[in-house]
Amino acid sequence: MTFDPQRLGQSRSDLAEVLRDQRRRAGRTQTWLARRCNMSQTRVSNIESGKLTPSLVDVELILEALGTEAPVSAEARSLARVANTEWQDQWSSRRRGLDKKQNELARLESISTEFRFFLLSMITGLLATPDYVRASLADVPGDQSKTIAKKLERQRVLYDSAKSFTFLLTEQAVRWPLLPPLAMAVQLDRLVSVSRIPSVRLGVVPLGGHIPEKPLNTFTVYDRRLATVETGTGALLLRDHRDVTAYLRDFETYERHAIFGDECRGLLAEWASGFARRRT
């Protein structure tokens, strides 16, 4: 399926209209449908009014209960897939203020318990030193002090024992010289320190040897319900269980090529020493 960013916001209301129309054509009430689908009547009402985005499972249950014909079922499934996808372009985020984006991420982190980060080309904010955070925002015009402060504040979530984090960083992500050598050495020391936090599992995928996989994007999976995929101009938020499952499988594949624990810390220390020796 091709996603048109212009359509992502409209698809939920279109899906609501299709489902509402099919229920009425079938001569059924929301109460009857809720009972057949093991949902609350409030949930059915919110789906039909467009206030709530139904999952693919919700849509399948509703279509089956109503005996919807194949062409309409196909249309509804297609709309549900798009409705469970959100596009956040970087220009809109910048207009709203990147500190607002940090608030959204903090809320998402507060309600999630299991995190998987695949970092292809850069170190993520949760692992970054203040210098690295500032450098990552250097191309954004205006005063970004609030955004920097909130990025650093979010790092406290790593110490929440109720949560678990797995970070997979490619060698490129670790060694990309975003900062001068000494500052990069400090950043790699930070990775070593974070790797010792009980809730954190940090691994590096070295570029030596044979890696037949071909990763294209940095992505994060929150629990098993949301995957965010970063591009050069924004991020896709995917809630369709098929998309999330696909990224979970990708993560497991890359994880098999990563090194962890003392071996990982030894490699990070070696690279940090290399940066420190350069000094300038």
Side-chain angles (χ1 to χ4, degrees):
M1 176 185 293
T2 300
F3 290 121
D4 177 1
Q6 301 291 334
R7 289 282 299 146
L8 294 181
Q10 182 64 32
S11 59
R12 182 165 68 182
S13 59
D14 289 346
L15 176 60
E17 183 179 348
V18 168
L19 296 178
R20 184 173 62 248
D21 181 64
Q22 288 303 300
R23 179 183 59 76
R24 289 173 176 171
R25 284 176 180 272
R28 300 297 185 179
T29 65
Q30 289 183 348
T31 302
W32 179 91
L33 183 60
R35 191 161 49 243
R36 283 295 298 269
C37 296
N38 196 28
M39 300 178 188
S40 69
Q41 188 272 329
T42 299
R43 183 174 182 83
V44 172
S45 176
N46 286 339
I47 288 172
E48 290 191 356
S49 65
K51 294 178 181 177
L52 175 68
T53 301
S55 69
L56 271 291
V57 173
D58 289 338
V59 173
E60 294 284 358
L61 288 171
I62 290 171
L63 295 174
E64 183 178 347
L66 296 175
T68 305
E69 295 181 356
V72 179
S73 290
E75 178 191 1
R77 290 187 184 96
S78 177
L79 287 170
R81 182 93 190 274
V82 180
N84 278 276
T85 302
E86 180 183 345
W87 169 249
Q88 295 182 344
D89 67 88
Q90 65 178 6
W91 298 282
S92 296
S93 295
R94 289 181 180 184
R95 281 196 300 272
R96 289 192 306 121
L98 293 181
D99 58 313
K100 305 295 192 303
K101 175 66 175 178
Q102 296 306 306
N103 292 337
E104 291 174 5
L105 289 171
R107 286 194 294 271
L108 182 55
E109 288 158 0
S110 72
I111 63 172
S112 304
T113 58
E114 193 174 8
F115 304 79
R116 296 172 178 86
F117 291 79
F118 178 73
L119 305 171
L120 179 62
S121 56
M122 282 185 64
I123 295 167
T124 189
L126 289 179
L127 304 175
T129 62
D131 283 345
Y132 197 99
V133 171
R134 277 190 287 272
S136 71
L137 295 169
D139 64 330
V140 182
D143 180 9
Q144 297 303 320
S145 56
K146 284 186 181 179
T147 302
I148 293 168
K150 289 184 177 182
K151 270 182 173 281
L152 296 173
E153 182 181 332
R154 282 177 46 226
Q155 294 178 355
R156 292 186 299 181
V157 74
L158 297 175
Y159 298 91
D160 186 339
S161 60
K163 302 181 186 295
S164 66
F165 299 83
T166 303
F167 296 94
L168 296 182
L169 299 93
T170 65
E171 180 176 338
Q172 172 179 296
V174 174
R175 303 182 71 181
W176 188 264
L178 186 67
L179 299 171
L182 279 178
M184 282 301 299
V186 173
Q187 172 60 74
L188 268 62
D189 287 342
R190 159 78 178 163
L191 296 181
V192 171
S193 297
V194 171
S195 74
R196 299 184 186 280
I197 298 173
S199 61
V200 172
R201 186 167 176 259
L202 189 148
V204 171
V205 181
L207 294 180
H210 176 225
I211 304 177
E213 279 68 43
K214 45 188 184 301
L216 299 176
N217 299 91
T218 286
F219 64 87
T220 306
V221 181
Y222 296 86
D223 296 324
R224 294 179 176 271
R225 57 188 173 78
L226 172 67
T228 63
V229 184
E230 297 182 25
T231 75
T233 58
L236 276 171
L237 280 65
L238 305 169
R239 297 180 179 85
D240 184 334
H241 71 93
R242 292 171 296 183
D243 293 322
V244 176
T245 299
Y247 278 100
L248 283 169
R249 283 197 299 264
D250 284 350
F251 191 88
E252 291 169 359
T253 298
Y254 304 141
E255 193 172 12
R256 289 196 288 271
H257 297 286
I259 60 174
F260 294 89
D262 289 340
E263 185 180 4
C264 174
R265 286 187 280 270
L267 190 56
L268 290 170
E270 177 185 328
W271 292 338
S273 296
F275 277 118
R277 285 194 296 269
R278 282 185 242 166
R279 290 192 168 274
T280 59

